[in-house]
PDB file of all heavy atoms in Angstrom:
ATOM      1  N   ASP A 288     -11.716 -69.137  -9.119  1.00 96.00           N
ATOM      2  CA  ASP A 288     -11.783 -70.607  -9.442  1.00 96.00           C
ATOM      3  C   ASP A 288     -13.302 -70.936  -9.463  1.00 96.00           C
ATOM      4  O   ASP A 288     -13.849 -71.271  -8.322  1.00 96.00           O
ATOM      5  CB  ASP A 288     -11.007 -71.441  -8.520  1.00 96.00           C
ATOM      6  CG  ASP A 288     -11.143 -72.840  -8.982  1.00 96.00           C
ATOM      7  OD1 ASP A 288     -11.913 -73.232  -9.819  1.00 96.00           O
ATOM      8  OD2 ASP A 288     -10.278 -73.698  -8.378  1.00 96.00           O
ATOM      9  N   PRO A 289     -14.034 -70.930 -10.589  1.00 97.00           N
ATOM     10  CA  PRO A 289     -15.499 -71.231 -10.548  1.00 97.00           C
ATOM     11  C   PRO A 289     -15.786 -72.635 -10.090  1.00 97.00           C
ATOM     12  O   PRO A 289     -16.819 -72.870  -9.405  1.00 97.00           O
ATOM     13  CB  PRO A 289     -15.785 -71.193 -12.013  1.00 97.00           C
ATOM     14  CG  PRO A 289     -14.728 -70.275 -12.688  1.00 97.00           C
ATOM     15  CD  PRO A 289     -13.562 -70.466 -11.885  1.00 97.00           C
ATOM     16  N   GLN A 290     -14.907 -73.560 -10.429  1.00 96.00           N
ATOM     17  CA  GLN A 290     -15.299 -74.940  -9.822  1.00 96.00           C
ATOM     18  C   GLN A 290     -15.152 -75.036  -8.458  1.00 96.00           C
ATOM     19  O   GLN A 290     -15.824 -75.754  -7.708  1.00 96.00           O
ATOM     20  CB  GLN A 290     -14.415 -75.939 -10.582  1.00 96.00           C
ATOM     21  CG  GLN A 290     -14.608 -76.048 -12.149  1.00 96.00           C
ATOM     22  CD  GLN A 290     -15.950 -76.438 -12.454  1.00 96.00           C
ATOM     23  OE1 GLN A 290     -16.558 -77.181 -11.699  1.00 96.00           O
ATOM     24  NE2 GLN A 290     -16.412 -76.085 -13.658  1.00 96.00           N
ATOM     25  N   ALA A 291     -14.162 -74.386  -7.814  1.00 96.00           N
ATOM     26  CA  ALA A 291     -14.016 -74.450  -6.508  1.00 96.00           C
ATOM     27  C   ALA A 291     -15.165 -73.745  -5.639  1.00 96.00           C
ATOM     28  O   ALA A 291     -15.673 -74.166  -4.728  1.00 96.00           O
ATOM     29  CB  ALA A 291     -12.618 -73.767  -6.016  1.00 96.00           C
ATOM     30  N   ILE A 292     -15.634 -72.607  -6.302  1.00 97.00           N
ATOM     31  CA  ILE A 292     -16.790 -71.950  -5.670  1.00 97.00           C
ATOM     32  C   ILE A 292     -17.995 -72.954  -5.721  1.00 97.00           C
ATOM     33  O   ILE A 292     -18.789 -72.953  -4.698  1.00 97.00           O
ATOM     34  CB  ILE A 292     -17.018 -70.727  -6.480  1.00 97.00           C
ATOM     35  CG1 ILE A 292     -15.898 -69.713  -6.296  1.00 97.00           C
ATOM     36  CG2 ILE A 292     -18.333 -70.073  -6.075  1.00 97.00           C
ATOM     37  CD1 ILE A 292     -15.813 -68.440  -7.151  1.00 97.00           C
ATOM     38  N   THR A 293     -18.165 -73.489  -6.860  1.00 96.00           N
ATOM     39  CA  THR A 293     -19.256 -74.471  -7.037  1.00 96.00           C
ATOM     40  C   THR A 293     -19.330 -75.592  -5.988  1.00 96.00           C
ATOM     41  O   THR A 293     -20.280 -75.966  -5.416  1.00 96.00           O
ATOM     42  CB  THR A 293     -19.318 -75.066  -8.382  1.00 96.00           C
ATOM     43  OG1 THR A 293     -19.568 -73.963  -9.375  1.00 96.00           O
ATOM     44  CG2 THR A 293     -20.525 -75.999  -8.526  1.00 96.00           C
ATOM     45  N   ARG A 294     -18.134 -76.162  -5.780  1.00 96.00           N
ATOM     46  CA  ARG A 294     -17.874 -77.219  -4.766  1.00 96.00           C
ATOM     47  C   ARG A 294     -18.341 -76.732  -3.346  1.00 96.00           C
ATOM     48  O   ARG A 294     -18.958 -77.382  -2.610  1.00 96.00           O
ATOM     49  CB  ARG A 294     -16.466 -77.668  -4.803  1.00 96.00           C
ATOM     50  CG  ARG A 294     -16.256 -78.568  -5.963  1.00 96.00           C
ATOM     51  CD  ARG A 294     -14.813 -79.338  -5.820  1.00 96.00           C
ATOM     52  NE  ARG A 294     -13.708 -78.579  -5.559  1.00 96.00           N
ATOM     53  CZ  ARG A 294     -12.933 -78.090  -6.564  1.00 96.00           C
ATOM     54  NH1 ARG A 294     -13.376 -78.300  -7.846  1.00 96.00           N
ATOM     55  NH2 ARG A 294     -11.876 -77.349  -6.358  1.00 96.00           N
ATOM     56  N   TRP A 295     -17.947 -75.495  -3.059  1.00 97.00           N
ATOM     57  CA  TRP A 295     -18.182 -74.959  -1.731  1.00 97.00           C
ATOM     58  C   TRP A 295     -19.739 -74.858  -1.519  1.00 97.00           C
ATOM     59  O   TRP A 295     -20.265 -75.044  -0.542  1.00 97.00           O
ATOM     60  CB  TRP A 295     -17.589 -73.541  -1.428  1.00 97.00           C
ATOM     61  CG  TRP A 295     -17.733 -72.946  -0.076  1.00 97.00           C
ATOM     62  CD1 TRP A 295     -17.091 -73.055   0.914  1.00 97.00           C
ATOM     63  CD2 TRP A 295     -18.851 -71.977   0.200  1.00 97.00           C
ATOM     64  NE1 TRP A 295     -17.548 -72.360   1.953  1.00 97.00           N
ATOM     65  CE2 TRP A 295     -18.766 -71.815   1.441  1.00 97.00           C
ATOM     66  CE3 TRP A 295     -19.900 -71.476  -0.570  1.00 97.00           C
ATOM     67  CZ2 TRP A 295     -19.563 -70.836   2.139  1.00 97.00           C
ATOM     68  CZ3 TRP A 295     -20.789 -70.567  -0.012  1.00 97.00           C
ATOM     69  CH2 TRP A 295     -20.583 -70.293   1.363  1.00 97.00           C
ATOM     70  N   VAL A 296     -20.402 -74.322  -2.574  1.00 96.00           N
ATOM     71  CA  VAL A 296     -21.911 -74.034  -2.373  1.00 96.00           C
ATOM     72  C   VAL A 296     -22.554 -75.473  -2.322  1.00 96.00           C
ATOM     73  O   VAL A 296     -23.569 -75.532  -1.532  1.00 96.00           O
ATOM     74  CB  VAL A 296     -22.322 -73.307  -3.782  1.00 96.00           C
ATOM     75  CG1 VAL A 296     -23.904 -73.269  -3.717  1.00 96.00           C
ATOM     76  CG2 VAL A 296     -21.861 -71.893  -3.885  1.00 96.00           C
ATOM     77  N   SER A 297     -22.031 -76.473  -3.179  1.00 95.00           N
ATOM     78  CA  SER A 297     -22.633 -77.776  -3.008  1.00 95.00           C
ATOM     79  C   SER A 297     -22.651 -78.385  -1.624  1.00 95.00           C
ATOM     80  O   SER A 297     -23.498 -79.001  -1.085  1.00 95.00           O
ATOM     81  CB  SER A 297     -22.097 -78.631  -4.052  1.00 95.00           C
ATOM     82  OG  SER A 297     -22.264 -78.221  -5.392  1.00 95.00           O
ATOM     83  N   THR A 298     -21.454 -78.018  -0.966  1.00 95.00           N
ATOM     84  CA  THR A 298     -21.224 -78.435   0.379  1.00 95.00           C
ATOM     85  C   THR A 298     -22.066 -77.725   1.401  1.00 95.00           C
ATOM     86  O   THR A 298     -22.658 -78.304   2.389  1.00 95.00           O
ATOM     87  CB  THR A 298     -19.776 -78.426   0.730  1.00 95.00           C
ATOM     88  OG1 THR A 298     -19.051 -79.361  -0.160  1.00 95.00           O
ATOM     89  CG2 THR A 298     -19.509 -78.996   2.131  1.00 95.00           C
ATOM     90  N   ASN A 299     -22.044 -76.466   1.293  1.00 95.00           N
ATOM     91  CA  ASN A 299     -22.608 -75.622   2.352  1.00 95.00           C
ATOM     92  C   ASN A 299     -24.021 -75.174   2.113  1.00 95.00           C
ATOM     93  O   ASN A 299     -24.628 -74.663   3.030  1.00 95.00           O
ATOM     94  CB  ASN A 299     -21.747 -74.309   2.422  1.00 95.00           C
ATOM     95  CG  ASN A 299     -20.514 -74.521   3.129  1.00 95.00           C
ATOM     96  OD1 ASN A 299     -20.315 -74.691   4.376  1.00 95.00           O
ATOM     97  ND2 ASN A 299     -19.323 -74.808   2.231  1.00 95.00           N
TER      98      ASN A 299
END
Side-chain angles (χ1 to χ4, degrees):
D288 188 349
Q290 294 299 332
I292 293 167
T293 298
R294 289 194 297 272
W295 181 89
V296 173
S297 298
T298 298
N299 290 278

